[in-house]
Amino acid sequence: MSRSSYHYKPLGTESEENLALMRVIDGLYLRRPFYGAPRMTDWLQEMGFGVNHKRVERLMRVTGLQVKPPQPHWFLISSKVFSASARSRYSCATVSNSWSKSVTSTAYS
């Protein structure tokens, strides 16, 4: 048996400390799924863990945790907020539409 085969340590084994940290990260992720690695790192450091962002990123990647981005705020606005008059105010004016039509019709005619 070669010397390198004798001293080989298989990859992919996590230490007990990392496994415990992954359990804590998983619990925090369930409470705040929109926290990424930087915020999660700050949260863990406030709890007393000595971790940096690279380690938290790697452990989140190993466990398969991905940040769920917040939805845009305009999805939360009810359709009742924008009445028909408000929709006409925020839509394209008919003057600008007719102007663009006249310019394109004369330019390509």
Side-chain angles (χ1 to χ4, degrees), residues 12-78:
T13 57
E14 293 290 339
S15 67
E16 291 297 323
E17 184 181 359
N18 281 346
L19 292 175
L21 191 59
M22 287 183 348
R23 280 190 227 91
V24 172
I25 290 173
D26 192 35
L28 295 176
Y29 179 81
L30 291 175
R31 292 175 57 193
R32 301 280 195 276
F34 46 87
Y35 275 13
R39 284 177 118 183
M40 192 73 72
T41 304
D42 292 340
W43 205 3
L44 289 168
Q45 287 174 350
E46 288 174 6
M47 294 174 65
F49 291 98
V51 295
N52 63 3
H53 67 95
K54 294 178 281 187
R55 184 176 181 188
V56 173
E57 285 175 7
R58 186 181 65 81
L59 294 177
M60 286 179 74
R61 193 171 46 246
V62 166
T63 55
L65 300 177
Q66 292 183 344
V67 177
K68 295 180 182 176
Q71 292 181 352
H73 295 291
W74 55 272
F75 278 126
L76 304 176
I77 298 174
S78 173

Side-chain angles (χ1 to χ4, degrees), residues 94-107:
T94 56
V95 175
S96 64
N97 287 343
S98 64
W99 180 80
S100 65
K101 288 178 187 173
S102 66
V103 168
T104 56
S105 63
T106 57

Side-chain angles (χ1 to χ4, degrees), residues 8-14:
Y8 175 74
K9 292 181 182 175
L11 299 176
T13 57
E14 293 290 339

